[in-house]
Amino acid sequence: MFMSKQAIIIILLYVFTYLFPLNALANEYDFEIPDTKEKPYHIGGNIEAGYTIYSLNKNAALYYQKFYNRKEGSSVDSYDITLQLEGDYKKDSAKLYIKTNTNMTQNYLGWDDETELYEGVVSFEATPSFTIEAGKKVIKWGKGYAWNPAAFTSRPKDPDDPEASLEGYSIISVDYIKSLSGRIKTIAFTPVIIPVYNDLNSGFGKTDHLNFAGKLYFLTYDTDIDIMFLAGESIDDRVGVDFSRNFTTNFELHGEAAFINNFEKKYIDSNGILHTRQSDAISYLLGIRYLNRYDTTFIAEIYRNGTGFSEEEINGYYNYIQKGYNTYQTTGVESSLKKSLSYTKAYYSDKNFMEQYLYLKITQKEPFNILYFTPSINIIFNAEDKSYSLTPELLYEPISNLELKFKFSLFHGDFHSEFGEKSYDYKAACFAKYYF
Amino acid sequence: MKKRIFIVIIFCLVTAVPLTFALDGNELLKQVDRNLNPESFEMYRKLINIEPDGSKKEFIMYSVKKGMDSVASIFLSPASEKGRSTLRVGDNMWLYIPNVGKPIRITSLQSVTGGVFNNSDILRIDYSAEYNCEKFEKTDDKYILYLKAKTTAVAYDRIKMWVDDKRHVPTMLECFAASGMLIKTLYFKEIKDFGDGIVRPAVIETDSPLYKGYKSIFIFAKMKKKNLPDEVFTLNYMPRIDGLR
């Protein structure tokens, strides 16, 4: 441990005191546009400092799993600093882009820090129609806001923070675009090669295989349509489709579906025995985005997760954790709880791992004439077990490049429900983020 | 007698030219479009949102346009917006945010920058692509064009456009909803010679009864003709628009 809570507070003070340019509050403005000559390179990024407090749910299965041998109070907290740096360098038709993510955390487990290369990719644009890229890159597919069942080439996103940066995979890809004058306005094809060898893309699937993916895009009848596929030995073969269309000046409809051939689902029963079931899996999503006359934006989605667990399957998982905890309490043996934790990491790590969900996010722009203030609220509702998370959020941007955010998340649900068995029943967080 | 006939013919010809021209408001609207910008061009813009308390936020963007209805922009500053790009093809609009990593559809009444300008203002295509001129009037030094949207997908149902009768560029626009409510007023100011025959207002200010006390300003710079391939105006190209500069 190289740093303490005090060190984080000093960094926070530094961020607030020195990095925020006070002259940005000045009211003068000029009509001159600064030098617009493009430089061959660019360096930038952002730093975010945050504090989160978690109210522990001491009757929840995941609390037993995480805290069985710890004596915490009714809550735990966490101080976090995230630094993202990005830079690019251009030379003729070639471009190098690098993005790193450094996360420093001080919480009940102590100090932890980690730096990862999120992206590092070289691209060569032979013509505006043809580009080839190689390196680590985030390639996101799908039209859903909270979930993307057809995002075959990226890591799963967090529905609670869908716009957060993700780490990419090492790939080789080509982008071919053709504009047309008929009913189909645009066709674009993006084939992707994803090698999985040793540590390279080890999180993608089974190692020592080469995987092939591709996306075909059309713009026709004012509608975006994508057809995508993934084939290889690292992961089950799958195909997908999505669409998005603006029906009026304030209403958008989107949908997404994925079919996985012979999906291999792994789950444990109440005794901790691992089961494997193979069957075709279909996931789909339908959503809207609507803006009303009061500048309120509604995003609503319904999601069927074909790879998710049924209530019966998830009951077995929670029962096994409960049994492990009972054993630990009576005998002090913790092997079952440790085994359940390894299963959690391997098979139950997806954010929403059950089958049916509803999502609603309501965002109000500058209510009561409070400038640069955007409150929102989102709910993720598990339609099977009727549990939910409810997250109000307040975003304030007093000056350019500075975001202040307060976020409160409430988790509620019955015994053995998804949100009822979280290790905490609510969390409150505040963040300050500065872009440079 | 011949002299009188000659004078009458000359008079008729001289008066007939503007009459013939004036009778076709849509043709005048097309001239306005071409005087505002060439068909295919690039430019830099500064957008300033001024709030009732005098505070302001500035954005700088690089934009390209081709044909009547294809336009793309990328934000150069502030740092929090850098790399965000927007694309419009006809009634279709998208926003690409580097963190999100994929284009998402946006609607014309939203605003990617906040302030009084909405997305249809920021991604303005030719007026003649979206509107028909239903009628016009001639005042001492202006034409007044009454424009009606061609479809319901257009942000403003009606526009009343004041056009300088010599330069054929707008001086003011009033934008109305289908209900007849005034949504905003645009003021075109500061005629500037950008070179290559482009002479147009370099500043557009707007205010709105819906946003009392707020004002937004566009300042145009370095507008020049540029040949652009069609593929630039596609979703896949959005992350790479900066490379056109």
Side-chain angles (χ1 to χ4, degrees):
Chain A
M1 182 190 293
F2 299 103
M3 291 180 71
S4 63
K5 196 180 286 183
Q6 286 82 353
I8 288 191
I9 291 169
I10 289 167
I11 293 172
L12 288 178
L13 283 172
Y14 172 79
V15 168
F16 278 105
T17 310
Y18 294 101
L19 289 186
F20 301 153
L22 293 177
N23 60 6
L25 297 168
N27 289 335
E28 298 83 25
Y29 60 89
D30 62 66
F31 283 76
E32 294 301 315
I33 293 183
D35 185 11
T36 49
K37 190 177 178 184
E38 195 197 16
K39 295 173 187 164
Y41 62 88
H42 161 253
I43 297 172
N46 64 76
I47 183 166
E48 183 181 75
Y51 173 75
T52 308
I53 185 164
Y54 302 85
S55 169
L56 298 174
N57 179 1
K58 296 194 170 184
N59 298 312
L62 297 184
Y63 171 82
Y64 300 148
Q65 193 182 52
K66 275 187 186 171
F67 293 92
Y68 66 94
N69 57 354
R70 305 188 64 85
K71 288 192 174 160
E72 304 294 341
S74 59
S75 64
V76 291
D77 58 7
S78 172
Y79 294 84
D80 297 275
I81 290 180
T82 304
L83 173 68
Q84 290 190 333
L85 295 174
E86 61 179 350
D88 60 58
Y89 178 76
K90 289 174 204 160
K91 175 82 174 166
D92 301 326
S93 298
K95 180 179 172 182
L96 168 68
Y97 174 75
I98 290 175
K99 181 176 185 178
T100 64
N101 185 84
T102 300
N103 187 251
M104 295 169 274
T105 301
Q106 171 75 46
N107 61 19
Y108 67 95
L109 293 171
W111 170 263
D112 189 28
D113 60 87
E114 187 176 29
T115 297
E116 288 171 307
L117 178 69
Y118 267 24
E119 294 189 75
V121 62
V122 175
S123 58
F124 177 73
E125 185 179 305
T127 70
S129 297
F130 186 85
T131 306
I132 184 163
E133 293 180 302
K136 196 170 184 181
K137 186 178 183 343
V138 177
I139 300 180
K140 287 186 182 171
W141 293 346
K143 301 296 185 197
Y145 179 77
W147 301 281
N148 287 119
F152 300 152
T153 54
S154 57
R155 296 169 205 272
K157 62 184 179 185
D158 181 357
D160 192 40
D161 190 8
E163 296 185 6
S165 295
L166 296 176
E167 184 184 354
Y169 284 119
S170 296
I171 53 98
I172 299 169
S173 80
V174 169
D175 199 27
Y176 176 73
I177 314 168
K178 182 70 186 165
S179 288
L180 305 164
S181 55
R183 285 177 178 167
I184 296 177
K185 304 280 185 199
T186 308
I187 293 179
F189 182 52
T190 311
V192 184
I193 298 173
I194 308 167
V196 184
Y197 291 97
N198 300 322
D199 289 338
L200 185 69
N201 295 330
S202 56
F204 187 80
K206 296 172 191 162
T207 56
D208 298 328
H209 299 292
L210 206 56
N211 302 278
F212 300 91
K215 179 166 77 74
L216 189 60
Y217 164 78
F218 304 92
L219 172 60
T220 181
Y221 292 101
D222 289 336
T223 306
D224 297 318
I225 298 172
D226 293 296
I227 299 168
M228 50 282 269
F229 73 90
L230 171 66
E233 297 298 318
S234 295
I235 196 168
D236 304 304
D237 293 347
R238 52 198 69 193
V239 293
V241 63
D242 69 29
F243 76 93
S244 174
R245 179 179 173 148
N246 289 357
F247 279 88
T248 66
T249 53
N250 58 351
F251 181 82
E252 181 260 3
L253 176 72
H254 58 265
E256 186 172 333
F259 171 81
I260 304 179
N261 186 39
N262 266 335
F263 174 70
E264 197 173 77
K265 184 196 283 185
K266 288 193 165 72
Y267 62 97
I268 56 171
D269 62 21
S270 303
N271 298 313
I273 297 167
L274 185 65
H275 296 266
T276 301
R277 181 185 295 163
Q278 275 201 321
S279 62
D280 295 342
I282 298 174
S283 300
Y284 54 86
L285 172 147
L286 195 65
I288 62 155
R289 189 186 294 251
Y290 170 70
L291 174 74
N292 73 9
R293 58 183 297 196
Y294 304 106
D295 265 339
T296 313
T297 301
F298 299 83
I299 298 172
E301 290 182 343
I302 179 168
Y303 174 46
R304 167 75 165 76
N305 179 14
T307 62
F309 300 106
S310 67
E311 275 194 280
E312 186 186 344
E313 288 162 348
I314 214 72
N315 262 325
Y317 167 65
Y318 289 135
N319 275 330
Y320 181 60
I321 296 171
Q322 178 76 53
K323 279 184 180 178
Y325 182 67
N326 293 343
T327 305
Y328 173 75
Q329 277 197 315
T330 53
T331 66
V333 175
E334 54 187 24
S335 57
S336 290
L337 278 170
K338 283 188 172 171
K339 191 175 169 188
S340 77
L341 191 59
S342 68
Y343 283 139
T344 299
K345 286 177 181 169
Y347 310 117
Y348 298 89
S349 60
D350 283 359
K351 286 287 178 182
N352 299 129
F353 49 44
M354 290 182 70
E355 291 179 333
Q356 295 176 42
Y357 292 94
L358 298 171
Y359 178 86
L360 175 66
K361 182 174 184 179
I362 303 171
T363 306
Q364 179 62 50
K365 182 186 158 195
E366 298 181 348
F368 315 114
N369 289 327
I370 304 173
L371 297 175
Y372 312 128
F373 175 58
T374 309
S376 64
I377 186 166
N378 77 64
I379 182 166
I380 300 172
F381 180 71
N382 184 324
E384 285 171 278
D385 62 25
K386 311 293 187 283
S387 67
Y388 60 85
S389 73
L390 183 70
T391 306
E393 182 179 306
L394 308 174
L395 177 65
Y396 184 50
E397 299 168 277
I399 57 172
S400 288
N401 298 325
L402 175 64
E403 291 177 1
L404 303 175
K405 189 159 69 178
F406 174 75
K407 195 170 178 176
F408 180 84
S409 297
L410 172 72
F411 303 92
H412 184 266
D414 294 335
F415 181 66
H416 283 192
S417 66
E418 178 179 354
F419 294 104
E421 296 292 355
K422 294 273 186 198
S423 56
Y424 36 86
D425 43 26
Y426 72 81
K427 66 176 180 179
C430 53
F431 302 96
K433 190 172 191 176
Y434 184 71
Y435 294 86
F436 52 88
Chain B
M1 184 62 185
K2 281 182 180 177
K3 193 175 179 181
R4 282 181 182 169
I5 292 170
F6 181 74
I7 290 168
V8 168
I9 290 170
I10 292 293
F11 178 79
C12 289
L13 284 173
V14 169
T15 53
V17 169
L19 277 173
T20 306
F21 165 74
L23 282 171
D24 193 345
N26 284 315
E27 199 55 42
L28 177 56
L29 188 61
K30 284 179 184 169
Q31 278 197 22
V32 168
D33 283 327
R34 283 299 62 79
N35 291 339
L36 282 176
N37 52 254
E39 276 222 7
S40 186
F41 70 99
E42 67 174 2
M43 67 174 166
Y44 289 86
R45 287 182 290 175
K46 180 193 275 189
L47 193 163
I48 307 170
N49 288 332
I50 303 169
E51 318 296 352
D53 64 358
S55 62
K56 49 98 184 171
K57 278 196 171 179
E58 291 186 1
F59 304 83
I60 293 175
M61 56 186 82
Y62 169 77
S63 302
V64 289
K65 179 176 175 287
K66 182 174 185 177
M68 291 178 73
D69 65 354
S70 294
V71 56
S73 285
I74 186 161
F75 286 88
L76 307 179
S77 73
S80 58
E81 309 294 320
K82 186 171 170 57
R84 289 188 178 211
S85 59
T86 50
L87 169 68
R88 179 174 184 182
V89 179
D91 295 330
N92 304 285
M93 294 183 191
W94 300 268
L95 168 67
Y96 173 83
I97 301 172
N99 259 5
V100 175
K102 62 181 181 182
I104 53 168
R105 275 193 176 250
I106 52 176
T107 57
S108 57
L109 291 179
Q110 287 176 296
S111 177
V112 292
T113 57
V116 188
F117 286 120
N118 61 30
N119 292 339
S120 75
D121 300 319
I122 295 164
L123 294 167
R124 161 82 11 230
I125 59 174
D126 283 3
Y127 288 104
S128 55
E130 294 189 299
Y131 295 93
N132 286 318
C133 181
E134 286 189 327
K135 65 170 186 170
F136 71 94
E137 294 167 358
K138 176 78 176 74
T139 64
D140 287 347
D141 59 349
K142 301 274 191 304
Y143 291 106
I144 304 175
L145 275 59
Y146 294 84
L147 309 181
K148 173 80 172 82
K150 290 177 178 176
T151 70
T152 55
V154 179
Y156 311 119
D157 184 60
R158 289 179 183 277
I159 289 179
K160 189 176 178 184
M161 177 187 280
W162 281 260
V163 176
D164 184 294
D165 68 347
K166 292 186 179 62
R167 296 186 183 276
H168 290 175
V169 292
T171 57
M172 188 170 84
L173 264 68
E174 287 181 345
C175 307
F176 298 90
S179 62
M181 179 180 67
L182 177 65
I183 298 175
K184 70 178 60 154
T185 306
L186 300 170
Y187 308 92
F188 290 68
K189 298 177 173 178
E190 309 280 338
I191 296 287
K192 180 179 172 182
D193 188 345
F194 288 87
D196 209 9
I198 306 170
V199 181
R200 58 154 290 161
V203 175
I204 300 176
E205 285 185 14
T206 185
D207 54 34
S208 166
L210 305 178
Y211 299 92
K212 281 182 181 160
Y214 292 73
K215 191 159 77 169
S216 290
I217 300 172
F218 253 137
I219 300 162
F220 295 73
K222 297 185 180 177
M223 180 182 279
K224 59 184 178 188
K225 292 176 184 171
K226 186 177 179 93
N227 287 324
L228 296 154
D230 292 336
E231 283 71 21
V232 165
F233 302 93
T234 59
L235 294 196
N236 292 46
Y237 202 85
M238 288 181 78
R240 311 204 298 268
I241 291 170
D242 197 35
L244 295 170
R245 296 167 61 207

